[in-house]
Structure formats: C-alpha cells, structure tokens
Amino acid sequence: INSTLDLKQVLDVLLEKIDLFLPYSTATVRLFNKDSGLLEPMACWNLDEEEWKVGVWKPGRGPANVVFEIKAPMVIRNCLNDPRVKDPEFFRKHQLVSYLGVPMFAKEEILGVLSFYTKEEHEFTAEEVEFLTTLAGQAAVAIHNARLYEETRTREARLQETNRMLSALHSVAAAANQSLDLDRVLQAAIEKIIEIFLFDATGIYIYDEQMNELLLRVSL
C-alpha cells in the first residue's frame, strides 16, 4: 500500500490485501473530511460500492462513527440486535452480522475508520483485533502520504493557474499599450484574450454615460 501515492490505488490495494487475510469478511474505509466535518465513505470490498455510498452514513448513524468518536477499536458480535447500531436494516439487507471497527491514525491524528463485517456471527479474537489495528496504522500512513501528495499537486496546479492569469494580464496590458486608438486597443485586447483562454466567443462592453447602459464595442 506504500507503493503508490494515488489515494484511490492505496485504498484498492489495501482492501484487496485484506481479502487475502480475511476472505470471509466485507471491509470498508471511511475517511474524515475536515471541510464537511463528516466521516465519508471512500472504498469498500464485497459490497456494492454505489449502493453503499448513497446509503445513510452521516454522523451518529453507524458503528464507524462511534469508533471515530472513541478513537479505539470496537467489536459488535451481532449488529442486528445491538443498541449501538442505529441502522440495523443495512446489516439485515446485506446479511452482515458481526462488526469490527478500528481507527486509522497517522502522526497522532485520526484519519478515518477501517471496518470489517462478517456474514456469520464471529468472535473477533484479541490477536485479530491487534493485527487489524496494526494494518490500519500502516494504511493510515499510506493514506496520509497520498493526501499530502494530492494537496501538493493541487497547490502546484493553483500556482500554475495564478501564473497563467498574471501572464495573461501582462499580455493584454502590453497589447493595449501599443496604441492610443480605443478600437485598436480593444481589438488587440480581445484577440489576446481569445488566444490565451481559448474562449469560443468574447465581447467587450463600454459604458455609455449618456445612454446609461453598456454597449458592445468589439467582439470575436
């Protein structure tokens, strides 16, 4: 899972490897979104992902939210009759019975929750909980690195866009300063705008004080 910096690939590899160790289980990954304040569904294994993602998952509705809040592993032997499960219909519909949720920590920060479900009642042993907690820790490091990489790429893209905008402004200003004739200035400016931004059409309107309205002066 540390072989890539692509978040989706990290999650796909993680769940694929989990299936090798726990072929009897269903697994899901939910990550905390700081902007929305929600523990959002990101990836799943042995579940219909589209159906799972549109289901009820907001705070307080599922065991994963409890794990996130207590920041510790939680085992539920039978989700169909446990009071901590607010939406037993989901488990009943997908024939899921037992649950284990482990928090995912990186740099002492909780990133999300790795959850495991079984279709038959299963007693998760202390060894299983310890192993899956360690696995979640390794996954959290990979997820943390992937997120940092994505954030870096986003910042670089924004910086490039800012530089492109500044360059465009300079080019338009340079074109406009080549003449004192307004029509020539506007024509040069609009041609430069089209060239830089690849718009399908562009128009420049000039405010007419006497008519108190904007009049189209030049367009391409």
Side-chain angles (χ1 to χ4, degrees):
I1 58 177
N2 285 295
S3 64
T4 177
L5 289 173
D6 181 88
L7 180 58
K8 184 180 185 306
Q9 289 183 18
V10 167
L11 297 178
D12 288 344
V13 171
L14 169 65
L15 295 176
E16 181 181 337
K17 297 306 179 184
I18 287 173
D19 190 58
L20 296 177
F21 292 108
L22 302 169
Y24 56 82
S25 72
T26 291
T28 63
V29 177
R30 289 176 170 84
L31 298 180
F32 182 67
N33 185 324
K34 292 182 180 179
D35 294 330
S36 66
L38 299 175
L39 191 62
E40 298 181 346
M42 297 297 296
C44 65
W45 189 265
N46 290 334
L47 268 181
D48 185 309
E49 185 170 345
E50 184 176 345
E51 182 181 358
W52 172 64
K53 284 188 174 182
V54 299
V56 179
W57 52 269
K58 295 189 185 303
R61 295 292 297 182
N65 295 101
V66 179
V67 174
F68 187 81
E69 290 170 3
I70 66 176
K71 296 178 173 60
M74 182 177 72
V75 174
I76 299 179
R77 184 157 186 168
N78 193 325
C79 294
L80 302 180
N81 54 27
D82 193 288
R84 291 170 292 182
V85 177
K86 305 299 182 183
D87 188 24
E89 184 56 36
F90 169 81
F91 294 89
R92 191 173 294 109
K93 179 179 180 180
H94 296 281
Q95 298 179 327
L96 303 175
V97 182
S98 296
Y99 171 84
L100 166 63
V102 291
M104 306 174 75
F105 284 97
K107 306 290 185 180
E108 299 183 351
E109 177 186 5
I110 184 168
L111 303 183
V113 176
L114 180 58
S115 297
F116 304 91
Y117 311 81
T118 62
K119 292 185 178 294
E120 296 180 358
E121 192 166 301
H122 178 76
E123 184 67 46
F124 286 98
T125 65
E127 289 78 12
E128 283 180 308
V129 174
E130 182 180 0
F131 168 74
L132 295 174
T133 299
T134 302
L135 181 65
Q138 294 294 323
V141 172
I143 291 169
H144 176 73
N145 292 338
R147 280 182 160 180
L148 286 180
Y149 178 68
E150 286 187 355
E151 290 172 3
T152 300
R153 290 184 61 186
T154 299
R155 284 196 297 269
E156 289 178 349
R158 288 174 179 171
L159 181 59
Q160 290 177 359
E161 181 65 14
T162 299
N163 290 336
R164 191 172 77 91
M165 291 292 186
L166 291 174
S167 177
L169 288 173
H170 176 75
S171 297
V172 172
N177 287 325
Q178 291 177 0
S179 173
L180 293 178
D181 181 87
L182 180 59
D183 288 331
R184 286 188 178 182
V185 168
L186 295 180
Q187 185 67 31
I190 204 170
E191 288 176 358
K192 186 59 67 173
I193 291 172
I194 289 283
E195 175 188 335
I196 295 171
F197 294 100
L198 304 176
F199 292 143
D200 295 323
T202 302
I204 296 180
Y205 292 77
I206 301 296
Y207 177 65
D208 187 302
E209 293 185 357
Q210 292 183 343
M211 300 181 66
N212 191 30
E213 64 178 322
L214 289 169
L215 299 178
L216 180 64
R217 188 65 177 261
V218 61
S219 65
L220 279 178

